[in-house]
Amino acid sequence: MSFDPEEILARYPDHKASATLPLLYAVQERDGYCTNDGIAEVARLVGRSAAEVYGVCSFYSMFKRTPFGRYVVSVCTSVSCLNGGPELLEHLQHHYADDPDVMVEEVECLAACDGVPVMQVNYEFHQSVTGSEAVRIVAAYKSGELAAGGPSGQTGDGLVQDIGTRAVR
Amino acid sequence: MTATETLIVTKRLRERPDDSWTLAGAQASGAYESLRKALTMEPAAIAEEVKLSQLRGRGGAGFPTATKWSFLPAGVEPRYLVINGDEAEPSTFKDRMLIERDPHQLVEGIAIASRALGVRHAFVYVRGEFALGAERIRDAVADARAAGIVGPRVMGTDMSLEITIHRGAGAYICGEETALLESLEGERGMPRIRPPFPAIAGLYAKPTVVNNVETISTLPAIIAMGGEEYAKPGVDRSRGTRIFSLSGDVNRPGNYELELGLTFRQLIEDFGGGVKGPGPAKFFIPGGASSQWLVTEHLDVPLDMDLVGRDYGVMLGSGAVMVYNQDMCPVRVALRLAKFFAHESCGKCTPCREGTGWIEKVLFRVEHGQGRPTDMDLLLDVGDNICPGLNAPFSQTTICPLGPSAVSAVVSLHKYFAAEVEAHVKEGRCLTAA
């Protein structure tokens, strides 16, 4: 899986460094996470030091600095999800504790408060799920029944493939 | 009498649930007709319609849009338009709906604003977690470009417009306009000291307007109906409609587009189906996590952007309204809010970086039966370091309002739920049933 750095840089004709975030997404997608080498590569492309780009990378929670397997399962426990969110998180953390393919993370409000609790799998929304429903959904991604676009759920372009019309309100 | 919605900015996505985001579906319901009209108008005439509409920012601050536009200095090039799609205010979910389900309305609004402002390159900053939204707006821009609607010759005229979609990567603070600009420049999202304001030195130190998704999405309707017509419904200086994201202990959480001036009770009962669980609403938080709270006695307060601040110390803000029934413990909610702000503090300003951590830790002790009698005073003291006077609208010792926002829940606990805090401290338990 490779990406075209020139295409990404061309989006920001007035300022190369603006390409830093999309390039970090691209190396994360390619390498499975933001490695030191990937960060250094981005730095060379945008004309900044590796230390500066490391500082940028570490600021943002969606850039992962360690391998996280294939599936990022994000569970909201914020103020609209207080009834159900923490329980869902605990259920999934327990269930996937020894599964290297699945990283369960607690996140802040995902802007889907009309169907709580809220979870994302590789940044695809799944609302109003119980613990066992959530496990079934993750299993569907694992079996290929639900599509996800790679280690970070993203294409080299940084977007999720095969979403289709699975819109959420 | 049951109140009804007034659909303006959510009209297309409601009427065409299966294809409102496609070019064909959008055009079948009138997309880009307003742009066609705007292209025959002088830029100043477009700005005049926005002024007549009395449109105010729909992201949180509610600043008059025409006024913000007027700050751009003449003759300085290039100038940029940046759309703030980094919706992350807890319990707000209207912009994600607009991006996912009516991206062409947003593209049309961008083009109209760009004509008014003399912008040739606009950016849409989409929250990183909105993968589907980013895909939809990117496809919409690509389809519009292929159809000659945007690009080097907008609808065949000599106006050019490029739109770049830029994804965030998980940072609430990037919803603050100068932090957003930093992030767009490839930096950590740390807010800038003002002045200079973005209108003078924004993106790449050039004149820049940053507007919210819903604000810009309203422009096609304003051009179509005229600014004066848009301003007809509403109350006082809150004109037109806006989307309210209703969530929490209500039977029908969702996005509702209402005329400004209806009451919280009408929102909760006529649209939200009433309180779920034991009512009446114990407390409700307007404006997202950053606002102070309202309680049961305030249900008949109107959704008026200025009155709520002036008379009740709260804000309509992002348009979110989060409702809690009689079973919810206010200390628990305050703690969760404190955790949010402590996590999202960018770290630049000492009162916020340190203060949000203190607020979270003290509330954690109180919630878990280890509170001390001096804790409320300590919380207020820490809050005062961030927001001197603990007032609303807030003062701030910080560069941006995230710090003072973290104080809102503390002030509300003190104002309305001092007994509950005391029970936690004295008896190590919650007063509420749950």
mmCIF file of all heavy atoms in Angstrom, chain A residues 12 14-15 18 25 60-62 77 79-80 82 106 108-109 111 120 157-158 160 163 168-169, chain B residues 80 96 127 129 132 135 138 166-170 183-184 187 204 247 324 332 336 339-340:
data_model
loop_
_atom_site.group_PDB
_atom_site.id
_atom_site.type_symbol
_atom_site.label_atom_id
_atom_site.label_comp_id
_atom_site.label_asym_id
_atom_site.label_seq_id
_atom_site.Cartn_x
_atom_site.Cartn_y
_atom_site.Cartn_z
ATOM 1 N N TYR A 12 -2.002 21.759 -1.127
ATOM 2 C CA TYR A 12 -1.671 22.938 -0.322
ATOM 3 C C TYR A 12 -0.585 23.743 -1.025
ATOM 4 O O TYR A 12 0.554 23.803 -0.559
ATOM 5 C CB TYR A 12 -1.207 22.524 1.071
ATOM 6 C CG TYR A 12 -2.154 21.573 1.756
ATOM 7 C CD1 TYR A 12 -1.956 20.198 1.685
ATOM 8 C CD2 TYR A 12 -3.262 22.048 2.448
ATOM 9 C CE1 TYR A 12 -2.841 19.320 2.297
ATOM 10 C CE2 TYR A 12 -4.139 21.177 3.075
ATOM 11 C CZ TYR A 12 -3.935 19.817 2.988
ATOM 12 O OH TYR A 12 -4.800 18.954 3.593
ATOM 13 N N ASP A 14 0.189 26.735 -1.203
ATOM 14 C CA ASP A 14 0.781 27.902 -0.568
ATOM 15 C C ASP A 14 1.648 27.567 0.642
ATOM 16 O O ASP A 14 2.294 28.454 1.194
ATOM 17 C CB ASP A 14 -0.342 28.869 -0.132
ATOM 18 C CG ASP A 14 -1.174 29.340 -1.303
ATOM 19 O OD1 ASP A 14 -0.648 29.333 -2.442
ATOM 20 O OD2 ASP A 14 -2.350 29.695 -1.110
ATOM 21 N N HIS A 15 1.642 26.307 1.082
ATOM 22 C CA HIS A 15 2.335 26.019 2.333
ATOM 23 C C HIS A 15 2.525 24.510 2.464
ATOM 24 O O HIS A 15 1.606 23.794 2.824
ATOM 25 C CB HIS A 15 1.486 26.553 3.498
ATOM 26 C CG HIS A 15 2.166 26.566 4.823
ATOM 27 N ND1 HIS A 15 3.039 27.562 5.202
ATOM 28 C CD2 HIS A 15 2.093 25.735 5.880
ATOM 29 C CE1 HIS A 15 3.468 27.334 6.436
ATOM 30 N NE2 HIS A 15 2.912 26.227 6.877
ATOM 31 N N SER A 18 1.382 22.256 5.485
ATOM 32 C CA SER A 18 -0.039 21.909 5.649
ATOM 33 C C SER A 18 -0.312 20.454 5.312
ATOM 34 O O SER A 18 -1.325 19.902 5.715
ATOM 35 C CB SER A 18 -0.921 22.798 4.767
ATOM 36 O OG SER A 18 -1.049 24.084 5.313
ATOM 37 N N TYR A 25 -1.371 10.524 8.205
ATOM 38 C CA TYR A 25 -2.403 9.509 7.970
ATOM 39 C C TYR A 25 -1.894 8.473 6.964
ATOM 40 O O TYR A 25 -2.090 7.275 7.125
ATOM 41 C CB TYR A 25 -3.675 10.151 7.400
ATOM 42 C CG TYR A 25 -4.685 10.605 8.411
ATOM 43 C CD1 TYR A 25 -5.061 11.943 8.481
ATOM 44 C CD2 TYR A 25 -5.300 9.701 9.269
ATOM 45 C CE1 TYR A 25 -6.008 12.370 9.401
ATOM 46 C CE2 TYR A 25 -6.253 10.124 10.192
ATOM 47 C CZ TYR A 25 -6.602 11.458 10.246
ATOM 48 O OH TYR A 25 -7.546 11.892 11.151
ATOM 49 N N TYR A 60 -2.056 14.564 18.392
ATOM 50 C CA TYR A 60 -3.365 14.144 17.883
ATOM 51 C C TYR A 60 -3.666 12.697 18.242
ATOM 52 O O TYR A 60 -2.862 11.811 17.964
ATOM 53 C CB TYR A 60 -3.421 14.332 16.365
ATOM 54 C CG TYR A 60 -3.310 15.776 15.935
ATOM 55 C CD1 TYR A 60 -2.084 16.314 15.566
ATOM 56 C CD2 TYR A 60 -4.428 16.608 15.923
ATOM 57 C CE1 TYR A 60 -1.976 17.647 15.182
ATOM 58 C CE2 TYR A 60 -4.331 17.934 15.540
ATOM 59 C CZ TYR A 60 -3.106 18.455 15.176
ATOM 60 O OH TYR A 60 -3.011 19.774 14.794
ATOM 61 N N SER A 61 -4.845 12.445 18.803
ATOM 62 C CA SER A 61 -5.125 11.116 19.349
ATOM 63 C C SER A 61 -5.353 10.059 18.273
ATOM 64 O O SER A 61 -5.255 8.866 18.553
ATOM 65 C CB SER A 61 -6.334 11.170 20.287
ATOM 66 O OG SER A 61 -7.481 11.587 19.585
ATOM 67 N N MET A 62 -5.639 10.463 17.038
ATOM 68 C CA MET A 62 -5.882 9.453 16.012
ATOM 69 C C MET A 62 -4.592 8.940 15.387
ATOM 70 O O MET A 62 -4.623 7.972 14.620
ATOM 71 C CB MET A 62 -6.812 9.997 14.922
ATOM 72 C CG MET A 62 -8.247 10.122 15.398
ATOM 73 S SD MET A 62 -9.301 10.897 14.181
ATOM 74 C CE MET A 62 -9.372 9.624 12.936
ATOM 75 N N THR A 77 -17.622 7.652 26.153
ATOM 76 C CA THR A 77 -18.132 7.600 27.530
ATOM 77 C C THR A 77 -18.487 8.996 28.014
ATOM 78 O O THR A 77 -18.537 9.253 29.220
ATOM 79 C CB THR A 77 -17.071 7.009 28.483
ATOM 80 O OG1 THR A 77 -15.907 7.859 28.425
ATOM 81 C CG2 THR A 77 -16.699 5.595 28.102
ATOM 82 N N VAL A 79 -20.680 12.807 28.113
ATOM 83 C CA VAL A 79 -21.843 13.179 28.920
ATOM 84 C C VAL A 79 -23.193 12.735 28.380
ATOM 85 O O VAL A 79 -24.135 12.578 29.148
ATOM 86 C CB VAL A 79 -21.857 14.686 29.217
ATOM 87 C CG1 VAL A 79 -20.923 15.010 30.357
ATOM 88 C CG2 VAL A 79 -21.478 15.484 27.973
ATOM 89 N N SER A 80 -23.318 12.551 27.059
ATOM 90 C CA SER A 80 -24.594 12.045 26.554
ATOM 91 C C SER A 80 -24.647 10.527 26.593
ATOM 92 O O SER A 80 -25.709 9.941 26.411
ATOM 93 C CB SER A 80 -24.835 12.524 25.115
ATOM 94 O OG SER A 80 -25.040 13.903 25.087
ATOM 95 N N LEU A 82 -23.458 8.625 29.189
ATOM 96 C CA LEU A 82 -23.161 8.163 30.549
ATOM 97 C C LEU A 82 -23.948 6.914 30.913
ATOM 98 O O LEU A 82 -23.486 6.095 31.698
ATOM 99 C CB LEU A 82 -23.448 9.270 31.577
ATOM 100 C CG LEU A 82 -22.361 10.336 31.688
ATOM 101 C CD1 LEU A 82 -22.773 11.402 32.695
ATOM 102 C CD2 LEU A 82 -21.036 9.725 32.087
ATOM 103 N N GLU A 106 -11.124 4.347 24.810
ATOM 104 C CA GLU A 106 -12.153 5.233 25.329
ATOM 105 C C GLU A 106 -11.967 6.582 24.650
ATOM 106 O O GLU A 106 -10.863 7.117 24.618
ATOM 107 C CB GLU A 106 -11.994 5.390 26.844
ATOM 108 C CG GLU A 106 -12.999 6.334 27.480
ATOM 109 C CD GLU A 106 -12.837 6.452 28.995
ATOM 110 O OE1 GLU A 106 -11.788 6.035 29.519
ATOM 111 O OE2 GLU A 106 -13.759 6.966 29.650
ATOM 112 N N GLU A 108 -13.763 10.639 23.514
ATOM 113 C CA GLU A 108 -14.703 11.702 23.854
ATOM 114 C C GLU A 108 -15.834 11.727 22.826
ATOM 115 O O GLU A 108 -15.830 10.959 21.874
ATOM 116 C CB GLU A 108 -13.968 13.044 23.909
ATOM 117 C CG GLU A 108 -12.921 13.123 25.017
ATOM 118 C CD GLU A 108 -13.527 13.026 26.404
ATOM 119 O OE1 GLU A 108 -14.736 13.295 26.565
ATOM 120 O OE2 GLU A 108 -12.785 12.672 27.348
ATOM 121 N N CYS A 109 -16.761 12.647 22.994
ATOM 122 C CA CYS A 109 -18.002 12.684 22.222
ATOM 123 C C CYS A 109 -17.772 12.553 20.722
ATOM 124 O O CYS A 109 -17.010 13.306 20.137
ATOM 125 C CB CYS A 109 -18.753 13.968 22.528
ATOM 126 S SG CYS A 109 -20.309 14.118 21.615
ATOM 127 N N ALA A 111 -20.187 12.807 18.434
ATOM 128 C CA ALA A 111 -21.215 13.524 17.671
ATOM 129 C C ALA A 111 -22.235 12.572 17.042
ATOM 130 O O ALA A 111 -22.553 12.671 15.860
ATOM 131 C CB ALA A 111 -20.580 14.418 16.601
ATOM 132 N N GLN A 120 -17.304 3.376 17.352
ATOM 133 C CA GLN A 120 -16.813 3.361 15.974
ATOM 134 C C GLN A 120 -15.879 2.164 15.829
ATOM 135 O O GLN A 120 -15.125 1.848 16.754
ATOM 136 C CB GLN A 120 -16.039 4.639 15.641
ATOM 137 C CG GLN A 120 -16.898 5.880 15.464
ATOM 138 C CD GLN A 120 -16.075 7.057 14.917
ATOM 139 O OE1 GLN A 120 -14.954 7.294 15.356
ATOM 140 N NE2 GLN A 120 -16.639 7.789 13.984
ATOM 141 N N ASP A 157 -5.380 7.340 0.708
ATOM 142 C CA ASP A 157 -5.925 8.688 0.612
ATOM 143 C C ASP A 157 -6.372 9.193 1.968
ATOM 144 O O ASP A 157 -6.751 10.332 2.124
ATOM 145 C CB ASP A 157 -7.125 8.594 -0.337
ATOM 146 C CG ASP A 157 -7.528 9.903 -0.920
ATOM 147 O OD1 ASP A 157 -6.724 10.843 -0.840
ATOM 148 O OD2 ASP A 157 -8.625 9.982 -1.460
ATOM 149 N N GLY A 158 -6.376 8.303 2.947
ATOM 150 C CA GLY A 158 -6.806 8.690 4.270
ATOM 151 C C GLY A 158 -8.310 8.595 4.479
ATOM 152 O O GLY A 158 -8.829 9.174 5.398
ATOM 153 N N VAL A 160 -12.030 6.075 4.404
ATOM 154 C CA VAL A 160 -12.498 4.702 4.564
ATOM 155 C C VAL A 160 -13.123 4.210 3.263
ATOM 156 O O VAL A 160 -13.892 4.908 2.628
ATOM 157 C CB VAL A 160 -13.541 4.612 5.690
ATOM 158 C CG1 VAL A 160 -13.920 3.179 5.942
ATOM 159 C CG2 VAL A 160 -13.007 5.255 6.957
ATOM 160 N N ILE A 163 -17.751 2.407 2.382
ATOM 161 C CA ILE A 163 -18.774 2.831 3.337
ATOM 162 C C ILE A 163 -20.144 2.645 2.717
ATOM 163 O O ILE A 163 -21.107 2.341 3.395
ATOM 164 C CB ILE A 163 -18.576 4.318 3.700
ATOM 165 C CG1 ILE A 163 -17.324 4.476 4.563
ATOM 166 C CG2 ILE A 163 -19.774 4.836 4.427
ATOM 167 C CD1 ILE A 163 -17.517 4.171 6.002
ATOM 168 N N VAL A 168 -25.301 7.475 8.971
ATOM 169 C CA VAL A 168 -25.887 7.567 10.306
ATOM 170 C C VAL A 168 -26.539 8.929 10.438
ATOM 171 O O VAL A 168 -26.098 9.882 9.830
ATOM 172 C CB VAL A 168 -24.848 7.408 11.427
ATOM 173 C CG1 VAL A 168 -24.996 6.077 12.109
ATOM 174 C CG2 VAL A 168 -23.452 7.600 10.909
ATOM 175 N N ARG A 169 -27.533 9.061 11.220
ATOM 176 C CA ARG A 169 -28.230 10.329 11.409
ATOM 177 C C ARG A 169 -27.296 11.361 12.006
ATOM 178 O O ARG A 169 -26.517 11.074 12.865
ATOM 179 C CB ARG A 169 -29.426 10.137 12.321
ATOM 180 C CG ARG A 169 -30.633 9.630 11.582
ATOM 181 C CD ARG A 169 -31.762 9.367 12.539
ATOM 182 N NE ARG A 169 -32.084 10.547 13.291
ATOM 183 C CZ ARG A 169 -32.769 10.552 14.426
ATOM 184 N NH1 ARG A 169 -33.166 9.432 14.932
ATOM 185 N NH2 ARG A 169 -33.032 11.645 15.061
ATOM 186 N N TYR B 80 -8.492 33.817 2.450
ATOM 187 C CA TYR B 80 -8.930 32.434 2.553
ATOM 188 C C TYR B 80 -10.243 32.333 3.304
ATOM 189 O O TYR B 80 -10.534 33.116 4.193
ATOM 190 C CB TYR B 80 -7.880 31.583 3.282
ATOM 191 C CG TYR B 80 -6.551 31.500 2.550
ATOM 192 C CD1 TYR B 80 -5.449 32.198 3.016
ATOM 193 C CD2 TYR B 80 -6.416 30.724 1.402
ATOM 194 C CE1 TYR B 80 -4.224 32.124 2.349
ATOM 195 C CE2 TYR B 80 -5.198 30.643 0.733
ATOM 196 C CZ TYR B 80 -4.110 31.353 1.209
ATOM 197 O OH TYR B 80 -2.908 31.281 0.550
ATOM 198 N N ARG B 96 -22.089 17.197 11.740
ATOM 199 C CA ARG B 96 -21.801 15.898 11.109
ATOM 200 C C ARG B 96 -22.941 15.510 10.191
ATOM 201 O O ARG B 96 -22.722 15.048 9.070
ATOM 202 C CB ARG B 96 -21.560 14.813 12.157
ATOM 203 C CG ARG B 96 -21.195 13.462 11.537
ATOM 204 C CD ARG B 96 -20.795 12.440 12.566
ATOM 205 N NE ARG B 96 -21.908 12.030 13.408
ATOM 206 C CZ ARG B 96 -22.864 11.188 13.030
ATOM 207 N NH1 ARG B 96 -22.853 10.653 11.830
ATOM 208 N NH2 ARG B 96 -23.839 10.884 13.852
ATOM 209 N N ARG B 127 -13.572 17.082 11.057
ATOM 210 C CA ARG B 127 -13.077 16.324 12.203
ATOM 211 C C ARG B 127 -12.596 14.941 11.764
ATOM 212 O O ARG B 127 -13.221 14.282 10.944
ATOM 213 C CB ARG B 127 -14.208 16.196 13.211
ATOM 214 C CG ARG B 127 -13.782 15.485 14.476
ATOM 215 C CD ARG B 127 -14.829 15.561 15.530
ATOM 216 N NE ARG B 127 -14.520 14.579 16.567
ATOM 217 C CZ ARG B 127 -15.341 14.231 17.517
ATOM 218 N NH1 ARG B 127 -16.541 14.778 17.579
ATOM 219 N NH2 ARG B 127 -14.978 13.342 18.413
ATOM 220 N N GLU B 129 -12.539 12.014 13.076
ATOM 221 C CA GLU B 129 -13.396 10.853 13.322
ATOM 222 C C GLU B 129 -14.564 10.772 12.329
ATOM 223 O O GLU B 129 -15.257 9.753 12.268
ATOM 224 C CB GLU B 129 -13.950 10.893 14.753
ATOM 225 C CG GLU B 129 -12.897 10.705 15.841
ATOM 226 C CD GLU B 129 -12.254 12.007 16.296
ATOM 227 O OE1 GLU B 129 -12.255 13.001 15.535
ATOM 228 O OE2 GLU B 129 -11.743 12.044 17.425
ATOM 229 N N LEU B 132 -16.784 9.100 7.188
ATOM 230 C CA LEU B 132 -17.830 9.119 6.165
ATOM 231 C C LEU B 132 -18.076 10.552 5.701
ATOM 232 O O LEU B 132 -18.208 10.822 4.504
ATOM 233 C CB LEU B 132 -19.121 8.517 6.711
ATOM 234 C CG LEU B 132 -20.333 8.592 5.773
ATOM 235 C CD1 LEU B 132 -20.079 7.819 4.493
ATOM 236 C CD2 LEU B 132 -21.591 8.063 6.469
ATOM 237 N N GLU B 135 -15.440 11.665 3.363
ATOM 238 C CA GLU B 135 -15.618 11.027 2.058
ATOM 239 C C GLU B 135 -16.728 11.719 1.269
ATOM 240 O O GLU B 135 -16.583 12.007 0.082
ATOM 241 C CB GLU B 135 -15.955 9.556 2.274
ATOM 242 C CG GLU B 135 -16.063 8.743 1.003
ATOM 243 C CD GLU B 135 -16.272 7.268 1.323
ATOM 244 O OE1 GLU B 135 -15.270 6.601 1.607
ATOM 245 O OE2 GLU B 135 -17.425 6.817 1.285
ATOM 246 N N ARG B 138 -15.694 15.225 0.170
ATOM 247 C CA ARG B 138 -14.679 15.157 -0.868
ATOM 248 C C ARG B 138 -15.308 14.750 -2.203
ATOM 249 O O ARG B 138 -15.002 15.323 -3.246
ATOM 250 C CB ARG B 138 -13.575 14.178 -0.498
ATOM 251 C CG ARG B 138 -12.470 14.157 -1.564
ATOM 252 C CD ARG B 138 -11.278 13.388 -1.130
ATOM 253 N NE ARG B 138 -10.628 14.025 0.000
ATOM 254 C CZ ARG B 138 -9.454 13.631 0.495
ATOM 255 N NH1 ARG B 138 -8.820 12.625 -0.045
ATOM 256 N NH2 ARG B 138 -8.933 14.238 1.520
ATOM 257 N N HIS B 166 -9.617 18.937 4.390
ATOM 258 C CA HIS B 166 -8.495 18.668 5.298
ATOM 259 C C HIS B 166 -9.033 17.993 6.545
ATOM 260 O O HIS B 166 -9.907 18.545 7.215
ATOM 261 C CB HIS B 166 -7.817 19.997 5.653
ATOM 262 C CG HIS B 166 -6.631 19.870 6.547
ATOM 263 N ND1 HIS B 166 -5.335 19.864 6.063
ATOM 264 C CD2 HIS B 166 -6.519 19.756 7.899
ATOM 265 C CE1 HIS B 166 -4.485 19.757 7.076
ATOM 266 N NE2 HIS B 166 -5.178 19.695 8.192
ATOM 267 N N ARG B 167 -8.566 16.809 6.844
ATOM 268 C CA ARG B 167 -9.053 16.086 8.003
ATOM 269 C C ARG B 167 -8.256 16.420 9.249
ATOM 270 O O ARG B 167 -7.028 16.464 9.222
ATOM 271 C CB ARG B 167 -8.975 14.577 7.772
ATOM 272 C CG ARG B 167 -9.956 14.050 6.764
ATOM 273 C CD ARG B 167 -9.779 12.570 6.588
ATOM 274 N NE ARG B 167 -10.282 11.807 7.719
ATOM 275 C CZ ARG B 167 -9.863 10.585 8.033
ATOM 276 N NH1 ARG B 167 -8.926 10.014 7.321
ATOM 277 N NH2 ARG B 167 -10.376 9.944 9.048
ATOM 278 N N GLY B 168 -8.964 16.632 10.351
ATOM 279 C CA GLY B 168 -8.302 16.706 11.645
ATOM 280 C C GLY B 168 -7.902 15.304 12.079
ATOM 281 O O GLY B 168 -8.094 14.334 11.343
ATOM 282 N N ALA B 169 -7.346 15.187 13.270
ATOM 283 C CA ALA B 169 -6.856 13.884 13.718
ATOM 284 C C ALA B 169 -7.099 13.649 15.199
ATOM 285 O O ALA B 169 -6.302 12.990 15.863
ATOM 286 C CB ALA B 169 -5.375 13.740 13.370
ATOM 287 N N GLY B 170 -8.200 14.165 15.715
ATOM 288 C CA GLY B 170 -8.534 13.840 17.096
ATOM 289 C C GLY B 170 -8.008 14.878 18.079
ATOM 290 O O GLY B 170 -7.054 14.629 18.794
ATOM 291 N N SER B 183 -3.533 23.935 13.084
ATOM 292 C CA SER B 183 -3.593 22.547 12.638
ATOM 293 C C SER B 183 -3.566 22.468 11.118
ATOM 294 O O SER B 183 -2.908 21.606 10.531
ATOM 295 C CB SER B 183 -4.867 21.898 13.182
ATOM 296 O OG SER B 183 -4.932 20.537 12.815
ATOM 297 N N LEU B 184 -4.267 23.383 10.483
ATOM 298 C CA LEU B 184 -4.300 23.421 9.017
ATOM 299 C C LEU B 184 -2.927 23.766 8.453
ATOM 300 O O LEU B 184 -2.583 23.387 7.338
ATOM 301 C CB LEU B 184 -5.353 24.446 8.584
ATOM 302 C CG LEU B 184 -5.793 24.558 7.139
ATOM 303 C CD1 LEU B 184 -5.970 23.208 6.486
ATOM 304 C CD2 LEU B 184 -7.093 25.334 7.064
ATOM 305 N N GLU B 187 0.624 22.221 12.253
ATOM 306 C CA GLU B 187 1.183 22.346 13.593
ATOM 307 C C GLU B 187 0.306 21.621 14.608
ATOM 308 O O GLU B 187 -0.753 21.120 14.278
ATOM 309 C CB GLU B 187 1.236 23.831 13.999
ATOM 310 C CG GLU B 187 1.924 24.738 13.013
ATOM 311 C CD GLU B 187 3.432 24.573 13.029
ATOM 312 O OE1 GLU B 187 3.959 23.957 13.966
ATOM 313 O OE2 GLU B 187 4.096 25.053 12.084
ATOM 314 N N TYR B 204 -1.811 31.137 7.018
ATOM 315 C CA TYR B 204 -0.579 31.573 6.364
ATOM 316 C C TYR B 204 -0.393 33.081 6.526
ATOM 317 O O TYR B 204 0.170 33.758 5.654
ATOM 318 C CB TYR B 204 -0.563 31.196 4.878
ATOM 319 C CG TYR B 204 -1.002 29.783 4.561
ATOM 320 C CD1 TYR B 204 -1.765 29.504 3.438
ATOM 321 C CD2 TYR B 204 -0.664 28.701 5.389
ATOM 322 C CE1 TYR B 204 -2.173 28.203 3.143
ATOM 323 C CE2 TYR B 204 -1.077 27.408 5.104
ATOM 324 C CZ TYR B 204 -1.839 27.167 3.978
ATOM 325 O OH TYR B 204 -2.246 25.883 3.682
ATOM 326 N N SER B 247 -30.237 15.641 23.261
ATOM 327 C CA SER B 247 -29.775 14.306 23.646
ATOM 328 C C SER B 247 -29.925 14.113 25.145
ATOM 329 O O SER B 247 -30.363 15.014 25.864
ATOM 330 C CB SER B 247 -28.308 14.101 23.250
ATOM 331 O OG SER B 247 -27.455 14.871 24.073
ATOM 332 N N TYR B 324 -30.971 15.787 31.633
ATOM 333 C CA TYR B 324 -30.819 14.726 32.632
ATOM 334 C C TYR B 324 -32.078 14.611 33.465
ATOM 335 O O TYR B 324 -32.631 15.618 33.912
ATOM 336 C CB TYR B 324 -29.621 15.004 33.535
ATOM 337 C CG TYR B 324 -28.308 14.917 32.786
ATOM 338 C CD1 TYR B 324 -27.568 16.052 32.511
ATOM 339 C CD2 TYR B 324 -27.839 13.688 32.325
ATOM 340 C CE1 TYR B 324 -26.374 15.972 31.813
ATOM 341 C CE2 TYR B 324 -26.653 13.602 31.613
ATOM 342 C CZ TYR B 324 -25.920 14.743 31.366
ATOM 343 O OH TYR B 324 -24.749 14.667 30.665
ATOM 344 N N ARG B 332 -21.466 13.395 39.213
ATOM 345 C CA ARG B 332 -20.954 12.464 38.199
ATOM 346 C C ARG B 332 -20.786 13.170 36.849
ATOM 347 O O ARG B 332 -19.783 12.988 36.156
ATOM 348 C CB ARG B 332 -21.916 11.287 38.079
ATOM 349 C CG ARG B 332 -21.448 10.240 37.099
ATOM 350 C CD ARG B 332 -22.455 9.105 36.981
ATOM 351 N NE ARG B 332 -22.010 8.168 35.953
ATOM 352 C CZ ARG B 332 -22.791 7.356 35.284
ATOM 353 N NH1 ARG B 332 -24.086 7.329 35.547
ATOM 354 N NH2 ARG B 332 -22.306 6.554 34.370
ATOM 355 N N ARG B 336 -17.321 13.998 34.757
ATOM 356 C CA ARG B 336 -17.060 13.552 33.375
ATOM 357 C C ARG B 336 -16.676 14.745 32.486
ATOM 358 O O ARG B 336 -15.804 14.644 31.629
ATOM 359 C CB ARG B 336 -18.283 12.831 32.816
ATOM 360 C CG ARG B 336 -17.995 12.187 31.443
ATOM 361 C CD ARG B 336 -16.837 11.227 31.547
ATOM 362 N NE ARG B 336 -16.411 10.646 30.294
ATOM 363 C CZ ARG B 336 -15.580 11.226 29.419
ATOM 364 N NH1 ARG B 336 -15.122 12.448 29.634
ATOM 365 N NH2 ARG B 336 -15.213 10.592 28.313
ATOM 366 N N LYS B 339 -13.092 15.656 33.269
ATOM 367 C CA LYS B 339 -12.170 14.729 32.613
ATOM 368 C C LYS B 339 -11.982 15.116 31.150
ATOM 369 O O LYS B 339 -10.866 15.099 30.620
ATOM 370 C CB LYS B 339 -12.728 13.317 32.748
ATOM 371 C CG LYS B 339 -11.921 12.240 32.049
ATOM 372 C CD LYS B 339 -12.507 10.855 32.379
ATOM 373 C CE LYS B 339 -11.935 9.820 31.412
ATOM 374 N NZ LYS B 339 -12.307 8.458 31.812
ATOM 375 N N PHE B 340 -13.081 15.461 30.507
ATOM 376 C CA PHE B 340 -13.028 15.874 29.099
ATOM 377 C C PHE B 340 -12.106 17.078 28.922
ATOM 378 O O PHE B 340 -11.195 17.084 28.085
ATOM 379 C CB PHE B 340 -14.441 16.193 28.610
ATOM 380 C CG PHE B 340 -14.498 16.924 27.293
ATOM 381 C CD1 PHE B 340 -14.244 16.253 26.111
ATOM 382 C CD2 PHE B 340 -14.794 18.270 27.241
ATOM 383 C CE1 PHE B 340 -14.288 16.915 24.888
ATOM 384 C CE2 PHE B 340 -14.846 18.942 26.026
ATOM 385 C CZ PHE B 340 -14.588 18.268 24.853
#
